[in-house]
Amino acid sequence: MNFSPTKEQLMVRKMIKQFAHNEMKPIAQLTDEEARYPQETIDKLGKLGVMGMPMPKEYGGAESDYVAYAGAIEELSKVCSSTGLIVQTHVALCCWPILTFGTQEQKRKYLPDLVAGRKLGAFALTEANAGTDAAGLQTKAVDMGDHWVLNGTKAFLSAAGIADVYIVMAMTDKSKGTKGISAFIIEKGTPGFNRGKKEDKMGIRGSLMAEQIIKDCIIPKENLLGEVGKGFKVAMASLDVGRLGVACQALGIAQGAFDETVKYMKSRKQFGKSLDKFQALAFEMADMKTRLDCTRLLILNAADRRDKGLPCTTETAEAKLYASETAVYVTNKAVQFHGGYGYTKDYPVERMMRDAKITEIYEGTSEVMRMVISGDIFR
Amino acid sequence: MKIIVCAKQVPDTTEVKIDKVKNTLIRDSAPSIMNYEDENALEEALRIKEQFPDSYITVISMGPPQAKDMLEECIAQGADEAILISDRELVGSDTWATSNVLAAGIRKLSGFDLILTGRQAIDGDTAQVGPQLAEKLGIPQVTYVKEVTVNDNEIIAKRTLENGYETLKLKTPCLLTVTRELNQPRYMTIKGIYNVKNQEIKVWNIKDINVDLTEVGLDASPTKVVESFVPTSKGKGTVIEADSAKEKVAILLEKLKEKHI
Ligand SMILES: Cc1cc2nc3c(=O)[nH]c(=O)nc-3n(C[C@H](O)[C@H](O)[C@H](O)COP(=O)(O)OP(=O)(O)OC[C@H]3O[C@@H](n4cnc5c(N)ncnc54)[C@H](O)[C@@H]3O)c2cc1C
C-alpha cells in the first residue's frame, strides 16, 4: 500500500476542495434548512466528471482509482454530506452494478448518461419489513414470457422520484430464499413506478428519501440486471462499494466538524484565554485527531485493495464501522466544545452532528458491520 | 488559433518571508499557487478554444522545478501543452530578464496568434513582463483587458482605464494582459486530471532556448532590490453598527466631526 498520495489523488482532492468551498459552502446551510435537493451542485459535478469518476473511459469516465474517489467523497462531505451521499449512491449503487453485472447493451444504454451526470441513479433494496434482514424482501417480479411484472413497496429509497435509473431488488422465486432474489433496472416514468410518502429526516436533509410504490409495473425482459436469482449478490457486492463511500462521507463529516472546532477554540475566550489553552479540551482534540487519522488509514486500505482487485468486504466494513462511529463521536464533541453556540444553527457543527448519525445506519448498520467482521474472524 | 498563455507560480500569501541577502521572496515559506490573473488568461484561452475548437493552447512558465505542479493543473483544466523554462542561471531574474527568457522560449515555438498574460503577478506587482514581452517580440499589445471578442484574425479588447474603458481592435499576432474581471476561471476536471500523465510537461533549460547568458539571471537584471518588507497596516477600518441606516449615518457624521473632516 502506498501511503503517499499520487499526483492525481492530490489534484482530485484539491479540485473538489475548491469546488466545495466556492459552490457548496454558500448553500450548505440552506440545503439542510429547507431540505432542498442540491440539483445545481449535482449538475456542476456532472460536468466536472465527478459523477462517474471511477467508470471506464469508454463510457465517459476518467477511470480514476478508488483512493482518489474516496478523497473526493470526503471533501464533498466535509462541506455538505447530503451532496457526498448523492454522489456516492449514484456511483456505487447504480453505475457500479450496471458496469459489473450489466450486459453490453445495458452498459451502452445507461452508463454514458449516468457517468456524465445527465441522469441520476438510485438503489432500492430496503422494504418496511426487510431492513437489516434484506433477504426478507417481498417485492415480487413475475416472468410473463416477453416481459416482467413487478409489485411491491420499497422503503427509505434515497433519491426516490428524482433519480432516473433505479436498481430494484425483487423476489423471482420465494422458495429459494436469497437465491430467489433478482435485480432489475427500472427507469423513472415507467407506469406503475411512483414515489410514495417522503420521509422527514434528522440529518442529510438535502438528500431526499421516500417510499417507492411499484404497482403492476411492466418492464422489458432485457431490464433484468445479472442473472435470475443472483440479485442478492448484485446488492451485496454493490453495498461493498457503497460502504466505502459511506465511510468517506463519515470521515468528511468528522473532519469538517473537527476543523470548525479548531477554528472556534482558537477564537473563543473564557477565563481570559482561548479554549485551545485548556489542556482538558486540547487532549480530547488529540484523541479526535488520532481517530480521524485511523479512519483515513482504514479507508485507504479498503480503497487500495479495491484498486488492486483484492477481496475487501471485511476491510470496507471495518472502515465504515470505525468511520461512522468516529463521525458520531467527533461531531458530538465538536458541539460540546462550541458550548451553547454549537447547539444553534449559527454554527455548522449542529448540522454535522445530525448528519453523522445516519452513517451508522444505512448501507448496513454498525451491527451488520460487526456481523461481517466477526463472520470473517470465525469463518 | 495558436494561443500562448504565460503563467507564473507565486506564493499564496501576503505574509511570505523575505530573503535578507537576495531581497527576494523565500518561496518555501508559503504554499505555491498559480498567479490569479494568469488563471484568467488561461480561462480566456480555454473559452476561445471552445469557440474555435481547432485552437491549440500552450502554457509557458519560467520558474523553479516545482512550478511543474502548476503546469499540470493547467493541463487538467484543458491546456494542450505546457512548457517550463527552469535553470539555476535564471534565479533572481527581474522583469526585463524574465521577458528575455519568455521571448526566447516563445520564439522556439512554431508561431502563435495570441499571447495572453496576467496583468501582474501578486508577488511582484510590476505589470511589466507582459508589455516587455510584446515589445521584444515586436507585436501589438493591449494591457488591463477585461473583455475579449475574437473574430477570425481580429481581436476586440476592452481595456480598463481609471475612469472607464477603451475598446481596441487589433490584428493577430498580438498580446493581451488581462485582469480578474475578465472571467471566472474553471475547475480542473477529473478527466483532465487523469490526462496529465499522458501529457508530459516539457522542461527547457537555458541551453534549450536561444538566449544571451548576459541578459538573464540576477546579475544581468537592471532592477536592484534595495529592500523588501511586509508593509505594516495603517490602522484598521471601523464598522459602524446600528439598527437603521439613518442611525449609522448619524454616528458617521459625529465621528467625522470629531476628526474635523
Ligand atoms: C436516510 C436513509 C437513506 C436510505 N437510503 C436507502 C436506499 O437508497 N436504498 C435502500 O435500499 N435502503 C436505504 N435505506 C435503508 C437502510 O439501509 C436501512 O434503514 C438499514 O439497512 C436498517 O434497516 P431498518 O431500518 O429496517 O432497521 P432494522 O433492520 O429494523 O434494525 C433495527 C436495529 O436492529 C439491529 N439489528 C437488526 N438485525 C440484527 C441482528 N441480526 N443482529 C443484531 N442487530 C440487529 C439493527 O442493527 C438496528 O440497530 C436508507 C435509510 C435511511 C435512514
Side-chain angles (χ1 to χ4, degrees):
Chain A
M1 182 165 44
N2 190 356
F3 288 93
S4 333
T6 62
K7 188 170 15 186
E8 287 86 359
Q9 289 157 5
L10 285 172
M11 286 169 98
V12 166
R13 213 177 250 281
K14 182 169 179 181
M15 164 226 170
I16 301 282
K17 213 181 204 143
Q18 286 171 343
F19 178 87
H21 180 82
N22 298 341
E23 317 286 334
M24 291 163 55
K25 204 168 186 168
I27 58 168
Q29 194 183 352
L30 212 70
T31 302
D32 174 68
E33 257 170 40
E34 298 178 357
R36 201 171 122 274
Y37 189 80
Q39 185 64 52
E40 65 277 48
T41 305
I42 300 303
D43 291 344
K44 289 176 197 163
L45 287 170
K47 294 208 174 79
L48 294 172
V50 179
M51 299 304 283
M53 58 187 275
M55 294 292 120
K57 291 204 176 94
E58 62 174 311
Y59 302 112
E63 266 167 52
S64 81
D65 47 276
Y66 278 89
V67 175
Y69 166 77
I73 302 298
E74 181 197 337
E75 290 299 333
L76 292 172
S77 305
K78 257 190 209 171
V79 173
C80 171
S81 57
S82 295
T83 306
L85 172 78
I86 294 166
V87 175
Q88 91 85 11
T89 306
H90 170 86
V91 172
L93 303 183
C94 187
C95 296
W96 190 86
I98 292 179
L99 175 73
T100 309
F101 300 100
T103 60
Q104 272 310 321
E105 289 69 37
Q106 287 170 337
K107 287 192 248 188
R108 261 190 238 121
K109 180 170 179 195
Y110 295 107
L111 285 178
D113 281 342
L114 288 168
V115 169
R118 287 186 293 268
K119 286 193 173 161
L120 189 76
F123 175 88
L125 173 66
T126 306
E127 296 177 7
N129 296 316
T132 299
D133 184 15
L137 61 85
Q138 282 153 18
T139 295
K140 251 203 289 204
V142 181
D143 186 349
M144 302 298 281
D146 61 346
H147 64 266
W148 294 95
V149 175
L150 276 77
N151 274 292
T153 303
K154 290 293 173 183
F156 296 163
L157 174 57
S158 296
I162 294 176
D164 305 280
V165 181
Y166 299 73
I167 309 299
V168 180
M169 264 48 70
M171 201 58 96
T172 40
D173 187 348
K174 206 170 168 61
S175 67
K176 290 189 180 150
T178 55
K179 295 213 165 69
I181 296 172
S182 304
F184 298 88
I185 303 172
I186 305 186
E187 292 177 39
K188 178 181 177 173
T190 306
F193 189 67
N194 294 302
R195 179 164 76 198
K197 183 178 140 283
K198 279 194 217 175
E199 306 290 351
D200 193 3
K201 310 193 291 316
M202 172 202 267
I204 55 161
R205 295 179 58 79
S207 147
L208 180 141
M209 184 252 278
E211 191 181 56
Q212 185 79 9
I213 298 157
I214 311 172
K215 192 161 189 313
D216 299 329
C217 179
I218 296 175
I219 58 164
K221 241 359 223 284
E222 64 265 22
N223 281 24
L224 174 76
L225 179 63
E227 291 167 44
V228 173
K230 294 276 172 69
F232 199 67
K233 196 179 140 215
V234 170
M236 291 304 124
S238 305
L239 283 171
D240 274 350
V241 192
R243 285 167 190 169
L244 173 66
V246 176
C248 302
Q249 182 197 21
L251 174 59
I253 298 170
Q255 186 70 54
F258 182 84
D259 294 346
E260 290 293 335
T261 308
V262 169
K263 209 167 65 190
Y264 186 79
M265 286 174 68
K266 287 190 199 161
S267 67
R268 173 70 175 170
K269 284 206 175 83
Q270 287 292 282
F271 299 98
K273 49 188 180 179
S274 55
L275 296 184
D276 59 308
K277 299 288 177 327
F278 296 104
Q279 199 179 49
L281 305 188
F283 271 24
E284 290 217 51
M285 291 298 279
D287 289 344
M288 283 148 80
K289 170 80 174 20
T290 306
R291 282 189 65 162
L292 286 167
D293 285 342
C294 270
T295 306
R296 201 163 271 116
L297 289 175
L298 285 172
I299 288 175
L300 180 60
N301 184 38
D304 181 66
R305 290 183 70 89
R306 176 163 293 283
D307 282 329
K308 294 198 170 110
L310 297 170
C312 56
T313 299
T314 310
E315 290 79 1
T316 307
E318 288 171 15
K320 190 212 176 239
L321 173 64
Y322 198 75
S324 57
E325 295 193 345
T326 296
V328 169
Y329 160 79
V330 169
T331 53
N332 182 30
K333 289 286 179 193
V335 170
Q336 188 67 24
F337 293 2
H338 276 70
Y341 297 95
Y343 199 69
T344 70
K345 291 192 189 289
D346 291 343
Y347 289 85
V349 290
E350 180 272 342
R351 162 170 56 91
M352 290 165 170
M353 184 175 168
R354 284 184 288 108
D355 283 358
K357 184 64 203 174
I358 187 58
T359 63
E360 290 185 319
I361 297 173
Y362 59 19
E363 307 206 15
T365 60
S366 289
E367 290 75 16
V368 172
M369 295 308 107
R370 291 190 166 91
M371 284 182 212
V372 172
I373 300 162
S374 61
D376 189 50
I377 300 171
F378 301 109
R379 209 161 12 153
Chain B
M1 175 167 273
K2 277 190 184 168
I3 309 169
I4 292 171
V5 175
C6 298
K8 183 181 185 184
Q9 195 184 39
V10 292
D12 178 19
T13 170
T14 48
E15 286 288 322
V16 281
K17 301 192 180 74
I18 286 162
D19 186 319
K20 291 262 158 60
V21 182
K22 279 190 265 176
N23 273 326
T24 50
L25 303 168
I26 304 172
R27 282 172 190 275
D28 297 346
S29 65
S32 295
I33 55 163
M34 180 155 159
N35 180 48
Y36 293 133
E37 288 170 333
D38 301 349
E39 285 186 358
N40 299 98
L42 174 60
E43 174 61 28
E44 201 59 25
L46 292 165
R47 288 182 191 198
I48 295 171
K49 187 171 169 152
E50 278 164 6
Q51 192 189 345
F52 303 100
D54 57 353
S55 298
Y56 190 83
I57 303 170
T58 303
V59 182
I60 189 162
S61 182
M62 183 188 94
Q66 63 266 30
K68 223 174 144 180
D69 296 348
M70 170 194 77
L71 292 174
E72 284 170 347
E73 291 181 14
C74 296
I75 298 285
Q77 278 179 287
D80 297 293
E81 179 188 26
I83 297 159
L84 175 65
I85 307 177
S86 192
D87 198 305
R88 296 206 64 82
E89 298 285 335
L90 300 174
V91 174
S93 292
D94 71 353
T95 61
W96 182 78
T98 302
S99 58
N100 285 337
V101 173
L102 290 175
I106 289 170
R107 281 194 206 102
K108 198 183 147 138
L109 298 169
S110 56
F112 60 88
D113 300 297
L114 175 64
I115 299 178
L116 293 164
T117 77
R119 175 185 54 136
Q120 62 186 31
I122 56 168
D123 56 347
D125 270 2
T126 68
Q128 292 169 354
V129 172
Q132 290 177 359
L133 183 57
E135 285 304 310
K136 285 170 187 170
L137 293 169
I139 53 169
Q141 58 172 297
V142 179
T143 53
Y144 299 4
V145 171
K146 65 163 192 167
E147 205 180 301
V148 178
T149 316
V150 180
N151 309 315
D152 297 324
N153 59 353
E154 176 189 87
I155 301 220
I156 300 164
K158 247 188 208 177
R159 165 170 201 264
T160 313
L161 299 175
E162 291 255 314
N163 51 357
Y165 61 84
E166 147 176 83
T167 305
L168 294 137
K169 199 190 276 184
L170 56 164
K171 287 242 177 303
T172 57
C174 61
L175 181 145
L176 311 178
T177 83
V178 308
T179 66
R180 294 227 82 186
E181 279 171 277
L182 178 62
N183 54 38
Q184 174 67 42
R186 70 191 60 195
Y187 301 100
M188 295 182 266
T189 66
I190 304 284
K191 263 196 230 174
I193 290 171
Y194 280 84
N195 181 36
V196 169
K197 59 175 178 289
N198 309 320
Q199 203 74 41
E200 201 204 341
I201 310 289
K202 295 193 186 91
V203 183
W204 290 348
N205 63 27
I206 204 153
K207 290 189 210 86
D208 295 317
I209 53 172
N210 187 11
V211 70
D212 187 341
L213 268 173
T214 62
E215 293 187 345
V216 299
L218 183 66
D219 294 341
S221 294
T223 316
K224 298 289 173 236
V225 180
V226 179
E227 192 189 353
S228 301
F229 58 93
V230 180
T232 45
S233 62
K234 299 192 190 95
K236 267 195 265 170
T238 30
V239 177
I240 299 172
E241 309 244 23
D243 290 339
S244 71
K246 212 171 171 182
E247 284 172 62
K248 284 181 200 170
V249 171
I251 297 171
L252 175 65
L253 286 174
E254 201 56 46
K255 290 204 168 166
L256 290 176
K257 245 191 235 163
E258 269 171 34
K259 295 194 180 223
H260 307 289
I261 297 173

